[in-house]
Amino acid sequence: MARDSCPLRSAYSQSAASAVGIFGASLAGALYAVGRTVPFAVNAVSFAVSAASLRLMRARFQVDRKDVRTTSRLSTEIREGLGWLWRQPVIRFLTLVSAADKVRYGAGYLLIITLARQVGASPLWIGVIFSGAAVGAMAGALVSDRATRRFPLGRIAVVMLWLEALMFPLYALAPNPLMLAAVAAAESLWLPSTRWP
């Protein structure tokens, strides 16, 4: 894949994932409103269907193990990969930020749910709040190609982090579920710009 096409293809991928997230988060909230175990049962069925569909695929996705062993050792490949990552300052920075963000995400979701309950959000509205985040991510994905062509990736990442840091406290000020969804959309708008290559 050519380097210039990476942002565009990443944007398409992010748009598709966000479109599914818009529907999925609201559906999860609606299923939870029906019964606490219903979304988990539906999720288990979806995993079973996915596993069954994978069994129907005939393509081979792995090389022979003996070829892998003869070409190089895993420890050598890891060392070379880490060495390459260390020599790429922007990608190294984004990798570290992404790792830290993954740790924060779990606590962030719990905090948003707690705040939503405090303003009287039903399970369906909590799903709508997370659908708002998916709407923001989808909008960000649609403009990320243009943004990455116009500005350096490192600058976009720094601006995105500052905007996210400024927007996250707005969750605590949101007076109702609709405003929580709007904050979630605004906070997620900037994320797709840093998700390439």
Side-chain angles (χ1 to χ4, degrees), residues 87-98:
R87 293 188 298 273
Q88 309 298 319
V90 173
I91 297 176
R92 181 182 68 220
F93 171 75
L94 292 176
T95 301
L96 293 173
V97 167
S98 178

Side-chain angles (χ1 to χ4, degrees), residues 8-170:
L8 184 59
R9 293 184 186 195
S10 178
Y12 288 153
S13 175
Q14 192 70 31
S15 295
S18 297
V20 172
I22 292 168
F23 173 73
S26 296
L27 177 62
L31 291 174
Y32 188 83
V34 171
R36 291 185 177 192
T37 59
V38 174
F40 300 101
V42 170
N43 205 23
V45 170
S46 75
F47 280 122
V49 170
S50 295
S53 65
L54 286 173
R55 293 285 294 165
L56 298 174
M57 297 178 77
R58 301 290 179 214
R60 292 188 61 195
F61 296 102
Q62 268 187 330
V63 296
D64 293 332
R65 290 186 180 274
K66 60 180 180 180
D67 294 340
V68 174
R69 288 183 187 143
T70 57
T71 54
S72 62
R73 305 184 93 191
L74 181 59
S75 60
T76 303
E77 290 182 2
I78 291 172
R79 192 169 48 252
E80 288 175 357
L82 290 174
W84 176 87
L85 179 64
W86 188 254
R87 293 188 298 273
Q88 309 298 319
V90 173
I91 297 176
R92 181 182 68 220
F93 171 75
L94 292 176
T95 301
L96 293 173
V97 167
S98 178
D101 220 24
K102 297 279 188 249
V103 174
R104 180 194 68 85
Y105 260 41
Y109 289 144
L110 182 59
L111 177 63
I112 292 166
I113 291 170
T114 302
L115 291 171
R117 298 294 287 183
Q118 287 178 355
V119 296
S122 66
L124 178 59
W125 264 108
I126 291 173
V128 169
I129 291 166
F130 287 104
S131 290
V135 168
M138 182 179 226
L142 294 174
V143 299
S144 65
D145 179 52
R146 190 174 302 159
T148 53
R149 289 179 187 277
R150 187 166 180 183
F151 303 105
L153 184 58
R155 183 181 303 168
I156 292 173
V158 171
V159 169
M160 180 275 294
L161 289 171
W162 276 109
L163 288 172
E164 191 172 6
L166 292 171
M167 282 187 275
F168 196 80
L170 296 178

